[in-house]
Amino acid sequence: MLISLVFFAAPTWAQSVCDDLWLSRNVIYDAHGYCFGSELGKAIFDNNGCTSVDPTLPPDLQDRIKRIWTQDRSLECAVDQSQTNINVYNQAARLRLLTQPIATEDNVKVCFGAQPNNPIVLHKDKTDTSPVLATIDTGDTLGWLHLNEGDWQFITLMSKSTAGKISSGWTDQAGDLRCDEIAG
């Protein structure tokens, strides 16, 4: 349990929430050909295949970017663009998500000893037909570190059966999930 407490420690999350918002926003831009000028952007995304400093985004992604910026401003974020790395849980997997979550400092909670009634899968996107990234098993530690979107929740999972394995993804099946202990 000590590893779980360290992994989801509130001060660590509070420090990385701005990095998380920066990543979510810029994964969207990168997927649409943005050419990064900052050291951080070039280090994370490398500019392979970039086409523009002002890419055209579809309306749903423009709205998502606005929501991320609103959260960013409310937290008074100022990510250091001269650095070459950021503090985001499961960063490599996050770069491949189809729908980027929006980090929050509100309503953050941790479930120690998950007790799912049925298998709960985490998806790459907010659809039941998107690829499955992980399954929540009995005893796993779960973190809710992002805003819910309708019935969909973005969950970060620390596996009990595979020490050190961290996964994350979207689910609409966590409504009746029980936990041995809840913090937050």
Side-chain angles (χ1 to χ4, degrees):
M1 180 106 44
L2 178 61
I3 292 171
S4 299
L5 288 170
V6 171
F7 174 73
F8 287 118
T12 301
W13 176 243
Q15 293 166 2
S16 67
V17 68
C18 291
D19 287 351
D20 195 290
L21 290 164
W22 183 92
L23 183 69
S24 287
R25 181 177 64 250
N26 286 296
V27 165
I28 295 168
Y29 282 123
D30 182 61
H32 288 83
Y34 185 77
C35 297
F36 293 89
S38 71
E39 292 304 311
L40 182 57
K42 289 186 279 189
I44 302 294
F45 299 105
D46 76 26
N47 280 342
N48 282 339
C50 77
T51 58
S52 173
V53 293
D54 188 21
T56 302
L57 300 176
D60 63 319
L61 291 179
Q62 289 176 20
D63 180 58
R64 186 161 213 79
I65 292 287
K66 286 178 189 170
R67 291 178 55 217
I68 294 168
W69 270 118
T70 298
Q71 185 75 344
D72 186 277
R73 285 186 198 106
S74 73
L75 296 172
E76 300 179 359
C77 291
V79 173
D80 180 0
Q81 300 288 313
S82 67
Q83 64 186 347
T84 57
N85 58 45
I86 52 177
N87 181 22
V88 175
Y89 295 125
N90 206 21
Q91 182 175 319
R94 286 281 303 281
L95 293 171
R96 296 186 301 270
L97 286 176
L98 299 176
T99 301
Q100 288 294 314
I102 301 174
T104 184
E105 286 186 329
D106 300 328
N107 301 317
V108 171
K109 69 179 179 178
V110 179
C111 164
F112 300 102
Q115 301 294 327
N117 291 332
N118 297 301
I120 297 175
V121 295
L122 301 180
H123 293 275
K124 189 173 185 174
D125 198 8
K126 296 184 306 179
T127 67
D128 290 327
T129 57
S130 71
V132 172
L133 300 174
T135 301
I136 297 171
D137 293 320
T138 299
D140 287 344
T141 298
L142 311 175
W144 284 263
L145 311 170
H146 299 82
L147 296 173
N148 292 340
E149 300 194 14
D151 292 337
W152 288 89
Q153 301 171 37
F154 189 82
I155 296 175
T156 300
L157 174 152
M158 185 174 183
S159 174
K160 179 182 179 185
S161 61
T162 309
K165 181 179 179 194
I166 301 170
S167 305
S168 52
W170 293 97
T171 187
D172 63 350
Q173 304 169 349
D176 61 350
L177 178 69
R178 294 184 332 266
C179 304
D180 290 341
E181 295 180 49
I182 296 179

